[in-house]
Amino acid sequence: MLRLSTKGQYGVRAMFEIARGYPDRPLTIKEIAERQDVSVAYLEQILGKLRRAGLVRSIRGPGGGYLLAREPREIPIAAVLGVLEGPVAITSCVDPREGCIRIEHCVTHLLWKELGAQIEGFLNTITLGNLLAGDVGSPHKVRTVLKRASKDQNSQ
Amino acid sequence: MLRLSTKGQYGVRAMFEIARGYPDRPLTIKEIAERQDVSVAYLEQILGKLRRAGLVRSIRGPGGGYLLAREPREIPIAAVLGVLEGPVAITSCVDPREGCIRIEHCVTHLLWKELGAQIEGFLNTITLGNLLAGDVGSPHKVRTVLKRASKDQNSQ
DNA sequence: AAAATAGCCTACTGTTTATGTCAAGTATTC
DNA sequence: GAATACTTGACATAAACAGTAGGCTATTTT
């Protein structure tokens, strides 16, 4: 459940590759495609979106390619995925582009909203900089704080 | 991005309805369907899965219907969704049913794994009991703990 | 025993979304 | 002006989703 599309996956991997390359040397689509094993034509679409969103900039002609528009640590994964897949929206009910018809009766509305917020919070915390440093693990873990709230619940 | 299928959504809503009904009175599919505005035939599929997974039990014949197999507070949302949608698997790369071919080169592997763990952690924390009590909000919020870890990153 | 109630099962189908490919451009550098 | 590289939009295929349909089995009531 909750699978990401390949666009999002490839997009993050492409951004990683661009971030990793020599900071001032533009990376061609072809290079990215080879290193990350994705077709050139498909990458064009993905990078086009990222460019129009201002996350990368491109240089045409010989010696051209793609560069990050900002420093790696200023680009959270949430930004990349947001461009390629739209906002986190567990259900249409909590999709900012749609809306909930039965919000009053919808007991689960709050649940999905909160889950979305958790996900978005996490993805905003991890940046391309973290990815470069291989720093995705324990420092970000927050699960230990989550404790079954069953005590409060006996009053029900 | 990361949308849940309707099976998962309807399933949670159906479970909520069963949990809400008088604890000892079985709820018929028809009743659930009316209250949650889902087709009877579709609900049959969903409840069949939940029954085979042991989350609800059914009583046939007149006066029959569905009952929870355990107390609401013993049924986390993760259990319901797990049955209807399979395990959380942001990418095929971290899907327990598949596997990662390029785990060594896959820089994002850890990222998706960690995100999945966060989601699963959250969904395991919230139970049908919480849903009944309307208790999904702030007590479970953990985002305040998440702080940009950019300081540690300068050492790279 | 028959009728009514209610769950059980599984095959089928239309629609949408995802995942790409292809072809014809445009801009830049050497 | 030739080579390089990005840009754009149309199109093709396949998989997943969402839901329907129809017949079957079990249980209770009359």
Side-chain angles (χ1 to χ4, degrees), chain A residues 21-95:
Chain A
Y22 316 101
D24 290 335
R25 187 191 150 229
L27 226 64
T28 67
I29 289 189
K30 201 179 161 203
E31 284 171 311
I32 301 170
E34 277 166 6
R35 295 190 194 170
Q36 288 292 334
D37 199 27
V38 176
S39 92
V40 168
Y42 200 25
L43 260 185
E44 282 173 352
Q45 279 181 38
I46 293 168
L47 288 173
K49 283 190 172 195
L50 292 171
R51 186 185 53 79
R52 282 187 292 274
L55 292 181
V56 295
R57 61 199 183 82
S58 63
I59 300 169
R60 299 171 86 143
Y66 285 90
L67 290 172
L68 289 194
R70 306 198 288 276
E71 280 187 59
R73 89 165 61 118
E74 297 298 323
I75 305 182
I77 306 300
V80 180
L81 293 182
V83 166
L84 296 173
E85 311 226 7
V88 173
I90 308 300
T91 62
S92 66
C93 177
V94 293
D95 191 326

Side-chain angles (χ1 to χ4, degrees), chain B residues 34-104:
Chain B
E34 279 166 5
R35 294 190 195 171
Q36 287 293 334
D37 199 27
V38 177
S39 92
V40 169
Y42 201 26
L43 260 185
E44 279 176 355
Q45 283 181 37
I46 293 167
L47 288 173
K49 284 190 172 195
L50 292 171
R51 186 184 52 79
R52 283 187 291 274
L55 292 182
V56 295
R57 59 197 185 82
S58 62
I59 299 169
R60 299 171 83 143
Y66 285 90
L67 291 172
L68 289 193
R70 306 198 289 277
E71 281 188 60
R73 88 165 63 118
E74 297 298 324
I75 305 181
I77 305 300
V80 180
L81 294 181
V83 167
L84 297 173
E85 312 227 5
V88 174
I90 307 299
T91 61
S92 66
C93 177
V94 293
D95 192 326
R97 296 160 302 185
E98 306 190 34
C100 191
I101 329 166
R102 23 176 289 141
I103 192 164
E104 285 157 63

Side-chain angles (χ1 to χ4, degrees), chain A residues 70-120:
Chain A
R70 306 198 288 276
E71 280 187 59
R73 89 165 61 118
E74 297 298 323
I75 305 182
I77 306 300
V80 180
L81 293 182
V83 166
L84 296 173
E85 311 226 7
V88 173
I90 308 300
T91 62
S92 66
C93 177
V94 293
D95 191 326
R97 296 159 304 186
E98 306 189 33
C100 191
I101 330 166
R102 22 175 291 144
I103 192 164
E104 284 157 63
H105 313 93
C106 189
V107 284
T108 48
H109 185 94
L110 195 59
L111 173 65
W112 306 133
K113 199 175 148 195
E114 185 61 26
L115 175 57
Q118 295 277 336
I119 294 173
E120 202 130 25

